[in-house]
């Protein structure tokens, strides 16, 4: 069956709209209910560090399961085939486990309120300010991606112009984050996790039925331009003759190590969920609990992308309704009956709100604590910073509206986001990992490794855009850009440390491995609860083994 070229507009009826209305009422209700518990800025920004592990774990994966993930990974599934699975099994799960086992003891044990604050304690104010500003910029750019993705859905749903959809969508998130803070975001993310699955599972099931099941899908994919290569993950990666145009070095080192670890271990929009946990063990289990559903998310993202590849005629256009980004909406339009269609649309809107809420809640915390309180207005009362946080939420959403139009210029938003990750996250991870395990790394080595790593990734990206440096795909550039940024940052740290003084050891307690503090001791990192299902090390090992096992039939 081939879907005929037709308007993207979805034909919703009254039942579909009722489902949407019920969802929005529930989301706003959670926001206003959470407001009652907000008494201090810590309640607003970190939920008073009181959340149980299962809540923070689901919120952790849901915060990443934004419209970027849904539309972007489905687009990648259609464009690159099963090689998109690398973003999950190499590019997510190992880093999530590493965060829980190794890095959360440093974050939670040092009682920092944000990732940039950790850098200030480990290095100096210059490193702190550089990271705070770059993080704020990155979150606004990524928030724009989520806004743009929502606008695609509202355009399909109501036929609204993109700019109206962007403004209306931003207002929804603005209300419940500014009212209920991080608690509202987290509880809504748990709700959104299940709503997203309820919306996407029918697309996968009905789509597979339409193409003749898994065997039918495999046969039809082989007949596309991608061919049999789209059904493997590591085939032909000794060179670059594969759909992704990347070799195994770029995949393992660029994506699996630098990009992945850079994102999951230092991205405050994710780490913030773990910092809101009620105790150290709950904080460590947060990303590991999230790793288990992450293993299976491709079933409702990558598989629909493949279904769209074989059923949507004209998919892959540079602009218009048939760009890769529209794979999911096109399938919804063709495959789902009314009622179920309402659930699917609600799931996509939920994914947008989960993603943007993570961006905005991370932005308002870093702006308030790490920029405003640290450098502009010090020593004010707590109520003042609570007000600043709410104002920052408004400002962040407004800026996000502007950056949404940048995202509109990319026909595959996942390529755009990977470029951002290689620019911002890769050098940050290098600076972090060296500084966390090497006590001699100096304060200024932290600043210059972060700055020059970022500059090197930006330079390579601009050379690629100007056709000075050639790559087989945008994603291959991202992999190598991330690798370059990492190497430059590490080399810079080694060199600058030789010519600048290290921090006194008494200022590194609890911030560097082996430098005192029970939270970062070897015993804490390798130990865990005696009850196996609460043991971070054991749970993490199980998650990594499952990722390897899933690769075997698709190698």
């Amino acid at each position: 069956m081939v879907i005929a070229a037709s308007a993207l507009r979805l034909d919703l009826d009254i039942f579909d709209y009722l489902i949407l209305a019920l969802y929005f009422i529930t989301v706003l209700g959670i926001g206003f209910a959470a407001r009652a518990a907000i008494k201090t800025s810590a309640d607003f920004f970190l939920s008073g560090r009181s959340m149980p592990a299962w809540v923070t774990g689901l919120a952790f994966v849901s915060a990443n399961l934004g419209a970027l993930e849904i539309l972007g990974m489905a687009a990648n599934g259609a464009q690159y085939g099963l090689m998109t699975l690398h973003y999950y099994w190499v590019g997510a799960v190992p880093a999530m486990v590493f965060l829980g086992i190794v890095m959360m003891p440093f974050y939670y044990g040092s009682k920092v309120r944000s990732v940039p604050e950790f850098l200030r304690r480990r290095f100096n104010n210059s490193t702190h300010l550089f990271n705070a500003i770059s993080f704020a910029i990155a979150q606004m750019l990524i928030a724009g991606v989520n806004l743009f993705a929502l606008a695609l859905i509202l355009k399909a749903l109501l036929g609204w112009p993109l700019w109206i959809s962007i403004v209306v969508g931003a207002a929804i998130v603005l209300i419940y984050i500014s009212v209920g803070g991080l608690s509202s975001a987290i509880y809504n993310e748990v709700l959104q996790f299940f709503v997203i699955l309820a919306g996407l599972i029918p697309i996968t099931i009905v789509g597979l039925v339409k193409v003749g099941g898994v065997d039918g899908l495999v046969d039809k994919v082989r007949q596309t331009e991608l061919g049999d290569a789209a059904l493997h993950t590591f085939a032909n990666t000794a060179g670059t003759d594969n759909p992704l145009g990347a070799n195994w070095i770029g995949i393992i080192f660029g994506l699996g190590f630098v990009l992945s670890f850079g994102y999951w271990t230092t991205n405050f929009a994710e780490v913030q969920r773990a910092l809101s946990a009620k105790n150290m063990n709950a904080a460590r289990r947060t990303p590991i609990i999230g790793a288990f559903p992450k293993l299976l998310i491709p079933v409702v993202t990558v598989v629909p992308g493949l279904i769209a590849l074989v059923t949507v005629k004209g998919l892959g256009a540079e602009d218009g309704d048939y760009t890769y980004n529209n794979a999911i909406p096109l399938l919804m339009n063709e495959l789902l009956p009314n009622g179920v269609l309402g659930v699917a649309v609600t799931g996509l809107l939920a994914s947008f709100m989960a993603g943007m809420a993570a961006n905005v809640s991370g932005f308002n915390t870093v702006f308030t604590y790490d920029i405003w309180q640290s450098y502009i207005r010090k020593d004010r009362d707590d109520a003042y910073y609570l007000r600043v946080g709410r104002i920052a939420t408004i400002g962040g959403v407004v800026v996000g509206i502007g950056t949404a139009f940048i995202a509109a210029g990319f026909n595959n938003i996942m390529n755009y986001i990977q470029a951002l990750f290689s620019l911002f996250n890769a050098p940050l991870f290098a600076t972090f990992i060296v500084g966390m395990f090497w006590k001699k790394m100096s304060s200024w080595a932290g600043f210059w490794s972060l700055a020059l790593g970022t500059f090197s990734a930006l330079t390579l990206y601009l050379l690629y855009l100007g056709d000075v440096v050639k790559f087989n795909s945008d994603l291959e550039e991202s992999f190598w850009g991330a690798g370059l940024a990492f190497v430059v940052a590490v080399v810079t740290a080694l060199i600058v440390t030789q010519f600048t003084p290290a921090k006194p050891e008494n200022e590194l307690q609890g911030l560097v491995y082996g430098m005192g503090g029970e939270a970062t001791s070897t015993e804490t990192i390798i130990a865990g609860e005696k009850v196996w299902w609460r043991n971070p090390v054991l749970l993490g090992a199980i998650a990594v083994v499952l990722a390897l096992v899933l690769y075997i039939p698709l190698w």
Side-chain angles (χ1 to χ4, degrees):
M1 170 188 169
V2 175
I3 296 175
S6 62
L8 192 60
R9 180 79 175 268
L10 303 179
D11 184 22
L12 272 68
D13 65 13
I14 185 64
F15 296 104
D16 298 315
Y17 283 105
L18 286 175
I19 293 170
L20 277 171
L22 177 62
Y23 173 72
F24 287 131
I25 291 170
T26 303
V27 165
L28 294 175
I30 290 173
F32 283 100
R35 182 186 180 92
I38 296 176
K39 300 293 189 294
T40 67
S41 63
D43 295 332
F44 185 79
F45 295 119
L46 292 172
S47 300
R49 297 186 190 264
S50 61
M51 295 286 182
W54 74 269
V55 169
T56 55
L58 288 179
F60 187 92
V61 72
S62 182
N64 178 253
L65 196 60
L68 159 69
E69 175 92 357
I70 305 303
L71 299 185
M73 287 303 180
N76 274 1
Q79 190 170 359
Y80 304 116
L82 291 185
M83 294 193 79
T84 307
L85 294 173
H86 293 311
Y87 286 98
Y88 296 89
W89 300 341
V90 162
V93 171
M96 295 166 77
V97 170
F98 183 83
L99 170 63
I101 294 175
V102 177
M103 295 189 71
M104 281 315 302
F106 291 91
Y107 285 138
Y108 200 89
S110 63
K111 301 190 185 306
V112 296
R113 299 170 298 183
S114 69
V115 169
E117 184 178 352
F118 185 93
L119 288 176
R120 178 178 61 78
R121 294 191 187 182
R122 174 59 184 88
F123 298 112
N124 56 21
N125 285 343
S126 298
T127 311
H128 172 242
L129 184 59
F130 185 95
N131 179 238
I133 292 174
S134 62
F135 173 83
I137 293 171
Q139 291 312 294
M140 291 304 92
L141 290 172
I142 298 170
V145 173
N146 279 300
L147 265 176
F148 169 64
L150 172 76
L152 287 178
I153 303 308
L154 290 183
K155 179 183 178 184
L157 169 64
L158 301 173
W160 290 1
L162 281 179
W163 72 271
I164 293 178
S165 302
I166 287 170
V167 172
V168 171
I172 298 169
V173 171
L174 174 61
I175 293 172
Y176 83 79
I177 295 295
S178 61
V179 168
L182 183 62
S183 294
S184 175
I186 286 177
Y187 283 122
N188 269 310
E189 282 161 2
V190 173
L191 168 67
Q192 286 155 356
F193 175 77
F194 294 104
V195 172
I196 291 166
L197 292 183
L200 294 178
I201 289 173
I203 298 175
T204 302
I205 293 174
V206 178
L208 285 174
V209 170
K210 290 286 186 180
V211 298
V214 174
D215 290 339
L217 178 62
V218 168
D219 290 339
K220 288 178 173 60
V221 168
R222 286 197 175 109
Q223 297 169 22
T224 66
E225 283 189 19
L226 290 180
D228 187 68
L231 301 172
H232 300 280
T233 53
F234 278 102
N236 299 319
T237 55
T240 58
D241 184 21
N242 55 70
L244 201 57
N247 62 30
W248 67 269
I249 298 175
I251 293 169
I252 299 298
F253 179 67
L255 172 63
F257 180 60
V258 181
L259 275 174
S260 170
F261 279 65
Y263 174 80
W264 291 103
T265 65
T266 63
N267 181 11
F268 181 58
E270 295 290 342
V271 173
Q272 186 179 28
R273 273 79 195 140
L275 289 178
S276 70
K278 63 182 180 180
N279 56 41
M280 172 69 83
N281 190 268
R284 297 183 71 195
R285 282 185 288 136
T286 292
I288 297 172
I289 289 172
F292 286 94
K294 192 70 174 176
L295 287 166
L296 300 178
I297 293 297
V299 175
V300 293
T301 56
V302 180
V303 172
L306 288 174
I307 294 171
L309 172 67
V310 302
T311 58
V312 179
K313 185 177 180 180
L315 186 68
E318 289 296 320
D319 51 37
D321 289 344
Y322 290 88
T323 64
Y324 286 117
N325 289 332
N326 284 333
I328 290 284
L330 285 165
L331 288 179
M332 289 165 50
N333 191 23
E334 177 67 20
L335 301 178
L336 301 183
N338 291 112
V340 179
L341 185 60
V343 174
V345 172
T346 303
L348 281 183
L349 296 185
S351 74
F352 147 75
M353 289 194 287
M356 187 173 183
N359 303 139
V360 172
S361 59
F363 170 82
N364 65 23
T365 303
V366 168
F367 179 84
T368 303
Y369 282 151
D370 296 294
I371 297 176
W372 195 266
Q373 184 182 32
S374 297
Y375 300 101
I376 300 175
R377 290 288 185 272
K378 300 180 180 180
D379 303 321
R380 297 294 184 94
D381 59 60
D382 191 71
Y384 171 81
Y385 295 115
L386 181 56
R387 290 194 301 274
V388 170
R390 288 198 162 107
I391 294 170
T393 303
I394 298 171
V397 170
V398 170
V399 175
I401 291 172
T403 61
F405 292 99
I406 299 177
F410 289 77
N411 74 324
N412 185 329
I413 53 178
M414 201 64 202
N415 289 347
Y416 171 56
I417 210 70
Q418 290 301 322
L420 294 179
F421 288 163
S422 67
L423 182 62
F424 292 109
N425 291 350
L428 176 59
F429 172 62
T431 304
F432 245 96
I433 207 69
V434 176
M436 195 173 277
F437 289 94
W438 188 35
K439 66 181 181 180
K440 293 183 179 179
M441 183 176 177
S442 69
S443 300
W444 283 107
F447 172 78
W448 285 111
S449 63
L450 190 58
L452 293 181
T454 302
F455 178 75
S456 65
L458 177 61
T459 300
L460 183 64
Y461 182 64
L462 293 176
L463 291 174
Y464 170 64
L465 291 181
D467 286 330
V468 177
V469 178
K470 305 289 186 181
F471 291 99
N472 291 305
S473 67
D474 293 346
L475 290 182
E476 189 191 18
E477 187 284 325
S478 296
F479 297 165
W480 286 104
L484 175 66
F486 183 88
V487 170
V488 168
V490 170
V491 171
T492 300
L494 295 174
I495 294 174
V496 175
T497 295
Q498 307 307 313
F499 300 98
T500 53
K503 292 192 77 167
E505 290 194 4
N506 66 312
E507 296 181 18
L508 300 177
Q509 301 299 309
L511 301 174
V512 178
Y513 178 75
M515 291 297 296
E518 181 180 345
T520 58
S521 66
T522 303
E523 291 75 16
T524 297
I525 290 176
I526 65 174
E529 295 236 357
K530 292 181 180 179
V531 181
W532 73 269
W533 52 270
R534 289 204 301 263
N535 187 310
V537 177
L538 180 58
L539 290 176
I542 293 172
V544 172
V545 169
L546 286 175
L548 294 173
V549 169
L550 287 171
Y551 263 123
I552 293 173
L554 304 172
W555 193 266

